[in-house]
């Protein structure tokens, strides 16, 4: 579920990088949200590694996902935005992953974190 959100975000970011109509201020705001998502994902992975429950990360991830979709509204097709929002909300169920945590889950969270971090950097360029 996290991989789907990353893939959808990659498609949107590719559009933003190519678009000259998006203001630098809007790009920076979107970049910051992507960076914050990355931080929440890595924090969750680290807590899973320590067998520590990621209290609050679910809510933070859900709020960041909602904020990202708000910032993207009007810049992408509504159908695509709904797909992104649905996949991000599903990905925000990080605390649910706690019961299913294993090396694969932890690795996937680290990879997704890196993807969101790199998207954050790319959008600023």
């Amino acid at each position: 579920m996290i991989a789907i959100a990353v893939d959808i975000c990659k498609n949107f970011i590719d559009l933003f990088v190519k678009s000259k109509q998006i203001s630098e201020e809007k790009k920076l705001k979107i970049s910051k949200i992507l960076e914050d998502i990355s931080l929440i994902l890595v924090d969750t992975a680290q807590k899973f590694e320590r067998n520590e429950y990621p209290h609050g990360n679910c809510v933070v991830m859900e709020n960041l996902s909602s904020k990202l979709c708000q910032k993207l509204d009007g810049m992408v097709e509504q159908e695509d935005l709904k797909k992104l929002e649905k996949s991000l909300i599903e990905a925000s169920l990080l605390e649910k992953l706690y019961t299913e945590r294993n090396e694969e889950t932890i690795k996937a969270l680290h990879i997704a974190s890196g993807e969101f971090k790199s998207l954050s950097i790319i959008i600023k360029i």
Side-chain angles (χ1 to χ4, degrees), residues 104-115:
E104 295 276 329
T105 305
I106 293 168
K107 181 179 177 183
L109 287 169
H110 279 294
I111 290 170
S113 174
E115 292 284 359

Side-chain angles (χ1 to χ4, degrees), residues 42-57:
V42 78
D43 179 66
T44 301
Q46 290 169 347
K47 286 180 177 173
F48 282 6
E49 290 168 336
R50 296 187 305 262
N51 289 320
E52 184 180 327
Y53 192 77
H55 293 284
N57 285 7

Side-chain angles (χ1 to χ4, degrees), residues 8-124:
I8 293 171
C9 277
K10 280 183 179 179
N11 292 335
F12 291 146
I13 300 309
D14 192 41
L15 292 173
F16 299 144
V17 169
K18 293 176 183 172
S19 176
K20 302 295 180 197
Q21 296 177 337
I22 300 169
S23 72
E24 286 301 312
E25 180 182 352
K26 191 145 195 151
K27 284 183 181 181
L28 289 176
K29 287 180 180 180
I30 292 169
S31 173
K32 177 65 175 137
I33 294 169
L34 293 169
E35 182 180 359
D36 289 344
I37 289 172
S38 170
L39 292 173
I40 291 299
L41 291 173
V42 78
D43 179 66
T44 301
Q46 290 169 347
K47 286 180 177 173
F48 282 6
E49 290 168 336
R50 296 187 305 262
N51 289 320
E52 184 180 327
Y53 192 77
H55 293 284
N57 285 7
C58 214
V59 172
V60 174
M61 183 73 175
E62 187 175 342
N63 289 337
L64 288 170
S65 298
S66 176
K67 192 69 162 173
L68 178 62
C69 289
Q70 287 173 8
K71 294 293 178 192
L72 296 175
D73 192 28
M75 297 167 48
V76 296
E77 296 290 326
Q78 281 300 113
E79 185 177 318
D80 292 335
L81 190 59
K82 286 182 193 271
K83 278 187 213 172
L84 174 64
E85 187 168 25
K86 182 179 182 233
S87 65
L88 284 171
I89 296 302
E90 286 174 6
S92 72
L93 301 174
L94 300 172
E95 293 171 354
K96 180 181 176 186
L97 289 176
Y98 180 77
T99 58
E100 304 165 9
R101 72 191 179 287
N102 57 35
E103 286 186 38
E104 295 276 329
T105 305
I106 293 168
K107 181 179 177 183
L109 287 169
H110 279 294
I111 290 170
S113 174
E115 292 284 359
F116 277 102
K117 177 74 172 180
S118 62
L119 291 173
S120 167
I121 293 167
I122 289 168
I123 200 168
K124 288 191 268 188

